[in-house]
Amino acid sequence: MTDGLIAHGRLAGLDEIAGVGVDPARGGYSRHVWTPAESELREWFTARAARLELDVETDRNGNLWAWWGAPGPDAVVTGSHLDSVPGGGAFDGPLGVVSALDAVARLQATGFQPSRPVAVVVFAEEEGSRFGVACLGSRLLSGAITADAARALTDADGVTVAEAAAAAGLAPEHLGRDDEALGRIGLFIELHVEQGRGLIDLGSPTAVASSILAHGRWRLRVSGQGNHAGATGMRERRDPVVAAARAVIAVEQAALATDDARATVGRMRIVPGGTNVIASEVDAWVDARAATDASTRALVADIESRVQEAVAGSGCTAELVEESWSGVVEFDPELAARLAGTLGGVPLLPTGAGHDAGVLNGAVPTAMVFVRNPTGVSHSPEEFAEADDCVAGVEALETLLRSVL
Ligand code: GLV
Ligand code: MN
Ligand code: MN
């Protein structure tokens, strides 16, 4: 039964939002929390949920909940996020939201009467692309970040979360752990496009998640001496851009020295950033991930010492400061095996990508379903999922919802 699911060769829901937040620089999508593009997606979600007669509410932390039946305890919640990385793909986040709405629509179409409350959720700022901390909405909801720490985060223009939340109609003083909203979740199932090659290699359209690498973000600040590009001799300089370049190589070398840890510098800021100006400061953000909390901590310690060695003698100083941390996630193996069995024995698959389901794991029962990505590429416009595999994902989610409702 694919009637109405597909439009123009893709899930109709993804087709409806295909023009929202297109990134002019890279292609793909830049849909950052509480920007016009992301607000348009929230409106789209609200309208689509209304078509299913779901009641939409925004919680204290800016997460959206579309309720089928009265909100209540022991609810089965499914969904994902609508924000993106800069120049991201069409599937990371929206696939889980669209699939959740489609699965509910299919249950409704067969006259199914759920025995527990059901909600489709959209978590805010999952990518952390605007304020720097990933999964901000689910971290606030579960208390994994304090309200004070969250309120003080700033975007690239210096706008704080408190200011942006207020502009979006939230009460910044009410941000923070939300026991009422959290207490309603009996089970959270997040469907997500797979972000690597796991399902290509396994030859399966879907899988159930087993674990998530430990990961975090660190700000590396390299400070030097701002000066004149023409008047300053090459041996008189304390140039933080050159020191930061060496530091970035050191970050790569630290990860390469391990079996399978990953370390990335994907964002840098040069202060003040002028062609004829030797910079005074460079900020580079390090994303580090590994199989265990201890190996991730060891990787970051090695990065720190290699960075200090790399900048030594440059006249610059370097400082590494933790901005966020997510310990390794092991999804409940019994639940994961049961769900994989319900889906006819689909594989269990680990991932290196972070998710709201990972943040909520431990606070509430949580599971994930992955949909094959034939490019194996994500956080990029090349991220993809075939329409047939997306339909398989919707069917899998519908099957799981039937089995638990
Ligand atoms: C989110 O996709 C992350 O893994 O950072
Ligand atoms: Mn992502
Ligand atoms: Mn995601």
Side-chain angles (χ1 to χ4, degrees):
M1 185 175 78
T2 58
D3 289 3
L5 270 188
I6 303 294
H8 305 117
R10 54 189 162 196
L11 282 187
L14 295 178
D15 193 55
E16 287 162 16
I17 58 175
V20 183
V22 174
D23 186 287
R26 190 193 195 191
Y29 296 101
S30 289
R31 298 159 163 172
H32 307 318
V33 70
W34 301 322
T35 61
E38 200 252 8
S39 302
E40 193 177 336
L41 293 179
R42 287 170 179 263
E43 282 165 26
W44 163 84
F45 174 79
T46 302
R48 226 183 189 258
R51 268 162 43 197
L52 302 176
E53 299 186 350
L54 310 182
D55 296 320
V56 179
E57 60 179 36
T58 306
D59 71 16
R60 289 162 28 189
N61 296 303
N63 307 306
L64 292 173
W65 304 77
W67 287 95
W68 182 15
D74 203 30
V76 176
V77 179
T78 181
S80 190
H81 61 98
L82 291 172
D83 67 305
S84 76
V85 295
F91 299 85
D92 178 356
L95 180 64
V97 175
V98 168
S99 300
L101 291 168
D102 285 345
V104 166
R106 287 163 66 109
L107 291 174
Q108 290 180 343
T110 61
F112 184 82
Q113 295 292 332
S115 61
R116 303 158 69 175
V118 179
V120 178
V121 68
V122 176
F123 285 112
E125 178 71 330
E126 191 271 353
E127 299 289 4
S129 297
R130 180 165 178 194
F131 293 106
V133 174
C135 301
L136 190 60
S138 57
R139 278 184 207 263
L140 278 163
L141 169 74
S142 61
I145 186 170
T146 65
D148 282 345
R151 278 189 284 259
L153 295 170
T154 53
D155 69 9
D157 297 324
V159 177
T160 63
V161 163
E163 290 162 347
L170 297 173
E173 66 275 18
H174 291 152
L175 293 175
R177 185 178 163 98
D178 187 342
D179 285 315
E180 194 191 335
L182 195 62
R184 296 191 302 211
I185 308 175
L187 171 64
F188 176 48
I189 304 177
E190 180 170 4
L191 179 145
H192 204 280
V193 69
E194 210 236 325
Q195 297 179 274
R197 302 188 52 82
L199 284 171
I200 304 174
D201 297 341
L202 289 164
S204 173
T206 58
V208 170
S210 54
S211 62
I212 301 179
L213 292 181
H215 58 285
R217 298 180 182 188
W218 288 260
R219 191 202 65 213
L220 169 61
R221 175 161 293 171
V222 183
S223 305
Q225 169 68 64
N227 212 332
H228 194 287
T232 317
M234 292 308 289
R235 286 180 179 73
E236 299 163 33
R237 299 172 176 218
R238 291 163 48 210
D239 185 342
V241 173
V242 175
R246 296 198 176 105
V248 170
I249 305 288
V251 171
E252 184 203 30
Q253 292 301 315
L256 283 171
T258 71
D259 285 338
D260 57 3
R262 290 114 202 235
T264 307
V265 175
R267 179 159 71 104
M268 296 178 80
R269 178 174 62 196
I270 296 176
V271 180
T275 306
N276 56 353
V277 179
I278 299 167
S280 52
E281 193 169 86
V282 174
D283 281 334
W285 281 267
V286 179
D287 177 307
R289 310 187 188 213
T292 65
D293 292 3
S295 57
T296 310
R297 294 290 184 197
L299 169 67
V300 174
D302 191 34
I303 286 174
E304 164 94 64
S305 93
R306 286 176 190 256
V307 161
Q308 294 303 344
E309 204 179 312
V311 305
S314 67
C316 299
T317 58
E319 179 196 36
L320 197 65
V321 175
E322 181 176 308
E323 292 199 335
S324 63
W325 168 258
S326 302
V328 71
V329 172
E330 300 286 350
F331 288 105
D332 176 351
E334 272 175 42
L335 176 63
R338 179 156 56 83
L339 298 187
T342 303
L343 296 178
V346 300
L348 294 171
L349 192 68
T351 181
H355 299 285
D356 294 303
V359 169
L360 294 181
N361 186 59
V364 293
T366 302
M368 290 191 76
V369 174
F370 291 130
V371 171
R372 177 166 52 194
N373 172 0
T375 66
V377 174
S378 187
H379 285 183
S380 156
E382 285 131 79
E383 173 186 283
F384 191 57
E386 298 284 357
D388 283 352
D389 287 353
C390 293
V391 171
V394 174
E395 287 171 350
L397 195 53
E398 180 191 358
T399 301
L400 294 182
L401 293 179
R402 275 184 198 280
S403 76
V404 294
L405 285 172

